[in-house]
Amino acid sequence: MRSHKEIAEEILGYPIGEDGCAPCPGAALHTAQSGPRDWRIWFDGEGKPHEYCFHNSCQGARDDFMRTLYRAISDEERGTRGTRKPVPKYQRPLPAAPKAQKVKPEDLNEDLAAALAARVEESITFDWLRAHSPVEIPDNPRAWGELLLKELYPSGSRILVFTAFASQGQYLYVVGDGVYKLGRKPGIKAVKAPRLPAGGDNGVWFLTAPITGKWEPNPGKRDPQGNLMPGRRHSACCTSFPFLVLESDNLTPDVWLKILVQLADPIVAVYTSGGKSVHALVKVSAATPEEFNAIKEGYILRLSPVGADAAAITPVRLSRLPGCMRHGTTGEFGTYIKYDKPRLQELLYLNPAAVHGEPILTMPSRKTRKAVK
Ligand SMILES: [Zn+2]
């Protein structure tokens, strides 16, 4: 009688390694790059097969393979082998997964941006934005970070917070629960922290997509041996992709703000980088990165000619956490330049109930609203 592994190899049409690794039966359906250790098959004490792949897009092909394998194993055990010999159909490559169409960002059209900005006569200052913010911005900046996270994410959401940009995050804010200081590596327990960080060398960021909080293998990152590295901030760790970030690195803040306030898109928050730039958070409510990327194309086509940075519009995006201090900046050659005085990442506008078709410019000012009452 053949071993269950041999039966699996016959169906696959190729050998399975000592460690159970082999090319995934659904590799052609992977939407991220395939690696030699992505897929693994093992047999439990009863010889029952189990399998796992780091990718999700191949699930259908893997289910199909497992059904064929179960049938072949039971045929083998009943001694009916030969009446229905499995066909090694996985030798044939499956058709490739369809690729999302990529649009090319347009170059900045300065005349168009200037003409659009010129439609707003009054000057849009930080004070103007605060006066028109539907949620009142408190005087104490230390309250801003938590206010923004509480207003924009449902209770129980887990938001990753960073004091180092290129890292796996240092804090977790759980809406309705509080702040946790996270371990640097898998297996290190998070501990409750009194508050969000006050500042960072280059400032403080939050991941705009809520996460599970678990470490997961990152299909985009491998160690020198080719194994997937664990991470807690890549797209497989995110539970939804609710917002995109609009920022401009080629327009002056006054022109950019005059454009932002006219947009019909649901802008839920506006804040500064602690440097010169002003960022807007827009509600897109995408469930998956694929859905996010489909939505993003429209934004890039429409807003890249008037100064929006297309490269900043990604499903997994760190954005400045308002109310935190930025102590310096990293210059062109990687040298750190400390500011004379720390700069505040300022919260300028907050509107969790933003809907499409109501530009910031149409929001009544706080004074007007009080007068109406
Ligand atoms: Zn797979």
Side-chain angles (χ1 to χ4, degrees):
M1 210 159 98
R2 297 174 304 163
S3 75
H4 292 177
K5 186 180 174 191
E6 283 166 349
I7 298 172
E9 286 175 330
E10 189 181 328
I11 297 168
L12 287 168
Y14 43 74
I16 295 165
E18 287 288 312
D19 53 1
C21 291
C24 170
L29 298 170
H30 291 171
T31 50
Q33 209 194 332
S34 297
R37 302 182 56 82
D38 291 353
W39 186 71
R40 203 163 73 80
I41 183 166
W42 67 98
F43 301 88
D44 63 23
E46 292 165 348
K48 206 174 143 208
H50 301 271
E51 59 88 43
Y52 174 76
C53 183
F54 289 134
H55 304 264
N56 291 319
S57 50
C58 51
Q59 188 70 56
R62 288 192 277 124
D63 291 346
D64 197 17
F65 163 76
M66 288 303 275
R67 273 193 296 273
T68 309
L69 179 58
Y70 269 101
R71 208 184 299 126
I73 288 174
S74 87
D75 285 355
E76 178 87 12
E77 284 172 350
R78 288 204 312 264
T80 53
R81 185 190 162 203
T83 57
R84 192 168 53 192
K85 198 166 188 282
V87 185
K89 62 179 185 174
Y90 296 100
Q91 282 176 327
R92 273 180 289 130
L94 291 160
K99 286 228 166 68
Q101 217 179 346
K102 260 218 163 110
V103 300
K104 216 175 147 281
E106 276 183 54
D107 290 336
L108 170 68
N109 180 337
E110 271 180 73
D111 293 340
L112 184 61
L116 190 57
R119 298 195 332 204
V120 179
E121 277 177 19
E122 53 193 314
S123 99
I124 306 298
T125 61
F126 291 179
D127 284 340
W128 186 98
L129 283 166
R130 286 197 192 96
H132 290 78
S133 173
V135 171
E136 191 167 1
I137 311 293
D139 291 335
N140 177 13
R142 288 295 284 137
W144 294 349
E146 196 163 352
L147 174 70
L148 176 125
L149 299 179
K150 261 191 198 154
E151 290 284 348
L152 298 186
Y153 297 93
S155 181
S157 300
R158 292 162 169 230
I159 310 299
L160 198 52
V161 174
F162 299 71
T163 50
F165 188 85
S167 75
Q168 295 299 320
Q170 286 68 42
Y171 295 88
L172 186 71
Y173 181 74
V174 183
V175 180
D177 180 13
V179 185
Y180 292 83
K181 176 89 178 79
L182 296 177
R184 284 182 59 195
K185 285 188 286 197
I188 302 176
K189 258 192 88 128
V191 288
K192 198 95 188 207
R195 60 187 72 85
L196 287 165
D201 288 346
N202 275 300
V204 180
W205 298 262
F206 68 104
L207 182 62
T208 60
I211 57 158
T212 60
K214 291 197 193 99
W215 292 90
E216 307 277 0
N218 181 355
K221 210 169 170 192
R222 289 172 190 280
D223 67 13
Q225 286 75 44
N227 301 306
L228 297 184
M229 306 262 285
R232 62 182 165 214
R233 59 169 284 187
H234 56 90
S235 65
C237 306
C238 299
T239 56
S240 65
F241 303 85
F243 304 115
L244 64 75
V245 178
L246 290 180
E247 55 182 85
S248 177
D249 50 17
N250 49 26
L251 291 181
T252 56
D254 59 321
V255 173
W256 176 235
L257 279 179
K258 284 188 172 190
I259 292 172
L260 278 183
V261 296
Q262 296 179 72
L263 298 181
D265 308 285
I267 295 176
V268 294
V270 180
Y271 41 85
T272 73
S273 64
K276 289 184 199 78
S277 58
V278 178
H279 301 180
L281 201 59
V282 184
K283 195 190 285 175
V284 294
S285 307
T288 63
E290 290 76 16
E291 191 185 345
F292 182 99
N293 285 331
I295 294 168
K296 141 189 147 166
E297 304 301 346
Y299 278 85
I300 290 176
L301 282 175
R302 199 157 48 86
L303 298 178
S304 61
V306 292
D309 179 5
I313 308 179
T314 56
V316 177
R317 170 82 1 202
L318 299 197
S319 194
R320 295 279 169 179
L321 186 65
C324 299
M325 288 298 193
R326 177 172 175 181
H327 294 277
T329 188
T330 301
E332 215 179 316
F333 304 105
T335 42
Y336 179 68
I337 303 152
K338 200 174 157 111
Y339 296 144
D340 294 333
K341 243 173 55 189
R343 298 178 190 175
L344 180 63
Q345 298 176 179
E346 287 190 76
L347 181 59
L348 306 175
Y349 181 87
L350 189 55
N351 184 15
V355 290
H356 188 90
E358 288 179 4
I360 295 176
L361 204 52
T362 65
M363 295 293 149
S365 95
R366 173 151 294 103
K367 279 170 205 138
T368 319
R369 260 179 301 173
K370 274 181 186 157
V372 169
K373 269 199 242 173

